[in-house]
Amino acid sequence: MGALNILRMFCVTGTIAALAACGRSAYIIDGTVDTYGFEGKTLTIVEFTPHSSVIHDSCLVSHGKFGMKGKTDDIRLVFLCRDDQPIMPLYLESGGVRVIIQTSGIQCSGTRQNDLLSSFLMQKKPLDNMYDDVWRRRMEMLRSGSVDRDIMSRLQDSLQSIVSECENLIYSFITSNYNEKASVGVFAMLTVNPGTRISTLMKRILDEAPEDFLENPAIKDYIQRAGYVRIR
């Protein structure tokens, strides 16, 4: 399942570091909910660290709306959580953020990093859906006990094609945005798995990365775990 499945989990246990801004900047989160199960619930903004989690803000959903505001001295990758479960990643940064939660999905926009991350996730979602559909058909055939080898081979080829397309999307997004915190966040979410084996995709990204990207604490942590050495 590879990168396609890892990124979908979005439960970061490693540090997602960001460049500190000068002083403390104000953030405003304005949200609406148009789906069942949120009314009266407490939503929290949580930053996950290697050994703990930090709650930065919280609010109640009332009449399909919620809002938070405060100050931050960093650009932070955090998660909007309900019942202690992450439901979406977003960036806590200076400016106003608009969050829309619907049955069809969740959108977050309004600031530089959130716009970049949201655009990437919107491009990735159709690939997730296609992968899930092909995987479901493959599992149904296996469970039925009536396995057609030709059909199974075509389904497997389809899965590999989707994974390749997803990896190309990830590669294009990160390498086109090396200087943006959103690319660091996507890379860190992809490499949260404690395993140390470096994938071909990650090696390609690191081989082409500028020094500033490699010096980011989240990237350095992965480089140390994976034993990556750049060959110049």
Side-chain angles (χ1 to χ4, degrees), residues 185-211:
V186 169
F187 187 97
M189 287 186 283
L190 280 165
T191 57
V192 66
N193 192 308
T196 57
R197 182 179 178 183
I198 186 169
S199 69
T200 301
L201 173 61
M202 296 299 101
K203 188 176 186 305
R204 285 178 64 202
I205 292 171
L206 293 175
D207 284 346
E208 299 178 22
E211 290 300 324

Side-chain angles (χ1 to χ4, degrees), residues 8-186:
R8 187 181 305 146
M9 294 170 65
F10 285 120
C11 186
V12 175
T13 57
T15 301
I16 312 299
L19 181 66
C22 295
R24 291 174 63 82
S25 302
Y27 66 84
I28 300 174
I29 299 173
D30 180 28
T32 58
V33 180
D34 186 23
T35 188
Y36 176 78
F38 282 82
E39 188 66 24
K41 293 285 187 178
T42 297
L43 300 181
T44 53
I45 296 294
V46 182
E47 180 179 12
F48 293 96
T49 66
H51 305 293
S52 63
S53 59
V54 179
I55 297 177
H56 288 280
D57 213 335
S58 65
C59 67
L60 284 174
V61 178
S62 178
H63 303 292
K65 298 182 182 297
F66 65 92
M68 305 180 210
K69 60 181 179 179
K71 292 187 176 182
T72 179
D73 56 6
D74 291 330
I75 299 176
R76 302 178 182 275
L77 179 62
V78 296
F79 287 80
L80 183 65
C81 300
R82 182 191 67 173
D83 296 332
D84 298 324
Q85 295 298 315
I87 60 175
M88 69 170 294
L90 59 89
Y91 275 90
L92 204 60
E93 60 180 324
S94 177
V97 178
R98 177 69 171 162
V99 178
I100 301 175
I101 302 175
Q102 299 174 307
T103 304
S104 57
I106 304 176
Q107 299 180 28
C108 180
S109 61
T111 60
R112 173 68 178 175
Q113 303 308 318
N114 283 306
D115 286 346
L116 283 170
L117 181 59
S118 182
S119 175
F120 168 75
L121 295 177
M122 288 178 66
Q123 293 178 69
K124 181 177 171 295
K125 185 176 180 180
L127 297 175
D128 290 342
N129 292 338
M130 285 191 292
Y131 190 97
D132 288 343
D133 180 61
V134 176
W135 182 262
R136 176 185 53 78
R137 288 159 56 194
R138 180 178 180 276
M139 294 307 297
E140 287 177 350
M141 178 173 289
L142 289 172
R143 284 193 294 265
S144 71
S146 177
V147 178
D148 186 305
R149 291 187 177 180
D150 289 338
I151 296 177
M152 185 64 70
S153 178
R154 287 197 295 271
L155 291 175
Q156 192 62 39
D157 288 344
S158 295
L159 289 174
Q160 186 56 53
S161 176
I162 296 169
V163 169
S164 296
E165 190 173 350
C166 183
E167 289 184 342
N168 288 337
L169 172 64
I170 292 166
Y171 171 82
S172 177
F173 175 77
I174 294 178
T175 57
S176 298
N177 296 284
Y178 275 130
N179 62 328
E180 302 286 356
K181 300 300 173 287
S183 69
V184 174
V186 169

